Amino acid sequence: MTDSSRPTLAVVGATGAVGTVMRDILSTRQDVWGEIRLVASARSAGRRLTVRGEEVEVQELTADVFDGVDVAMFDVPDEVSAEWAPVAAERGVVVVDNSGAFRMDPDVPLVVPEVNARMARQRPRGIIANPNCTTLTMVVVLGALHAELGLTALHAASYQAASGAGQAGIDTLHDQVNKVAGNRELGTHPGDVRRVVGSELGPFPAPLALNVVPWAGSLKNDGWSSEELKIRNEARKILDLPDLKVSATCVRVPVVTTHSVVMQATFEREVSTERAWEILRDAPGVVLYDDPGRGEFPTPADVVGTDPTWVGRIRRALDDPQSLELFVCGDNLRKGAALNTAQIAELLAAELTAA
């Protein structure tokens, strides 16, 4: 039985990869919701899925499904969000959108609660955007450091998991791993991995098994990829640093879930490794795991399925006392998507309850 005194939540895209994680998060975090409606495309309508220990029937995405809803979390393709988020907002729903449709809209805040929670109240279109998963892997750590040291430049190289390309990416990686498994000769001659993998590349431009692929996203001007420009543009907006110097290279690696990023961050003043440890040890949403002498640093295999951003390998740059080198890992389906969306929605629930 739902509590009518608490706000009603709709989860749009409840049957997808991130929607599945979202249902788990809603079932394990503090329960702030009354009714939770699960919404998906017509082909998924009628399915029964579990959330908060109860089976809930999936409803078809229509305008009427938003009647009586206070907050809607969207995890659907850009074009679906672009069409349906304004429909929900017109009906008085506050939309938290995980797609890229509205991230750079000046009338839509781009929110990471640990960094800029205040921006969630400034939503003239009734929509709040969730950042890209790679940006989210980095920005909680960057936000904590920037607040104390003043960030001036960022160089980043990502190591992005197959799940960043959706279920098709996960399936492709597993299929390719099955093809190459047990053949110890592979990877010793030009093109041998490609010949075994064949034409089944899925969403990737080259084999991912036994390989790394220096490409994620779509081609933009001057050879940059959309993923690389997202890091630049979104970091600037979240940190409120419109002139921040950012350069990024995005690489896909044979990891199922959890993105990693190497960062060189430059600040307004000289910084030490010890000072960075002090800041990050107490930063919300961050786990400091940094003792290379004992083999302690984040890896995707250890971070997957956890909520925080993990950071290690912190060093002051050898040639610049104002720069730090860092390695961060974050589960791209949790903090990189579902968890951050849920955290924003919880801010809205608290606001609605207080009102």
Side-chain angles (χ1 to χ4, degrees):
M1 184 174 180
T2 59
D3 184 347
S4 61
S5 68
R6 296 190 292 181
T8 295
L9 174 71
V11 180
V12 182
T15 59
V18 174
T20 300
V21 176
M22 185 69 71
R23 289 186 283 111
D24 176 64
I25 286 172
L26 290 170
S27 301
T28 54
R29 288 176 67 82
Q30 181 180 356
D31 188 6
V32 299
W33 304 105
E35 179 188 356
I36 294 180
R37 296 182 193 175
L38 303 182
V39 182
S41 63
R43 68 177 180 273
S44 295
R47 291 178 58 185
R48 299 189 68 83
L49 301 174
T50 301
V51 62
R52 297 188 297 188
E54 300 177 1
E55 281 198 350
V56 177
E57 184 172 321
V58 176
Q59 301 182 46
E60 181 180 354
L61 177 57
T62 65
D64 292 343
V65 83
F66 297 109
D67 289 345
V69 171
D70 298 292
V71 178
M73 300 191 297
F74 274 58
D75 186 70
V76 292
D78 290 9
E79 62 274 14
V80 179
S81 281
E83 177 183 357
W84 286 99
V87 171
E90 287 169 5
R91 296 198 168 212
V93 180
V94 181
V95 174
V96 185
D97 182 46
N98 192 41
S99 82
F102 302 99
R103 288 174 185 151
M104 300 316 298
D105 187 320
D107 291 326
V108 175
L110 187 63
V111 174
V112 180
E114 296 91 340
V115 180
N116 64 344
R118 68 190 185 283
M119 297 304 297
R121 290 180 173 269
Q122 302 172 27
R123 45 179 193 268
R125 294 192 61 181
I127 300 170
I128 299 171
N130 196 54
N132 174 265
C133 52
T134 315
T135 306
L136 274 166
T137 302
M138 306 160 49
V139 78
V140 178
V141 168
L142 286 175
L145 293 170
H146 170 60
E148 296 291 331
L149 303 170
L151 184 67
T152 61
L154 173 67
H155 295 274
S158 73
Y159 301 81
Q160 293 178 221
S163 58
Q167 189 62 46
I170 297 172
D171 292 341
T172 297
L173 177 58
H174 282 302
D175 290 344
Q176 292 182 0
V177 168
N178 286 338
K179 288 183 176 181
V180 303
N183 187 341
R184 296 195 176 195
E185 295 300 316
L186 285 178
T188 61
H189 300 286
D192 59 356
V193 172
R194 191 181 288 271
R195 283 192 293 273
V196 170
V197 167
S199 61
E200 302 298 324
L201 299 179
F204 311 119
L208 192 58
L210 301 181
N211 202 19
V212 299
V213 182
W215 189 257
S218 57
L219 180 63
K220 300 299 180 182
N221 291 340
D222 295 324
W224 293 96
S225 80
S226 58
E227 286 282 313
E228 292 159 351
L229 296 181
K230 285 175 187 177
I231 290 174
R232 181 176 191 260
N233 296 332
E234 293 176 17
R236 286 176 160 190
K237 185 173 181 179
I238 295 163
L239 298 171
D240 195 21
L241 293 172
D243 298 319
L244 180 67
K245 296 177 181 178
V246 181
S247 179
T249 298
C250 290
V251 180
R252 194 75 71 179
V253 296
V255 168
V256 176
T257 296
T258 294
H259 289 349
S260 306
V261 185
V262 171
M263 298 188 292
Q264 182 187 73
T266 303
F267 303 96
E268 294 173 354
R269 60 187 68 91
E270 187 170 331
V271 61
S272 67
T273 301
E274 291 74 20
R275 179 64 181 128
W277 283 338
E278 289 175 4
I279 294 168
L280 296 173
R281 190 176 289 118
D282 298 325
V286 173
V287 171
L288 176 64
Y289 190 57
D290 191 13
D291 189 347
R294 299 175 60 183
E296 294 180 354
F297 33 72
T299 72
D302 300 315
V303 170
V304 64
T306 67
D307 288 341
T309 299
W310 294 61
V311 58
R313 296 300 323 280
I314 301 172
R315 297 145 286 152
R316 186 165 78 169
L318 292 174
D319 300 312
D320 183 358
Q322 293 179 220
S323 294
L324 290 172
E325 312 281 349
L326 314 94
F327 184 81
V328 297
C329 285
D331 186 315
N332 53 294
L333 299 183
R334 293 187 74 85
K335 182 57 178 176
L339 175 62
N340 199 73
T341 306
Q343 288 175 305
I344 297 170
E346 288 166 3
L347 293 176
L348 298 172
E351 178 186 325
L352 292 167
T353 303

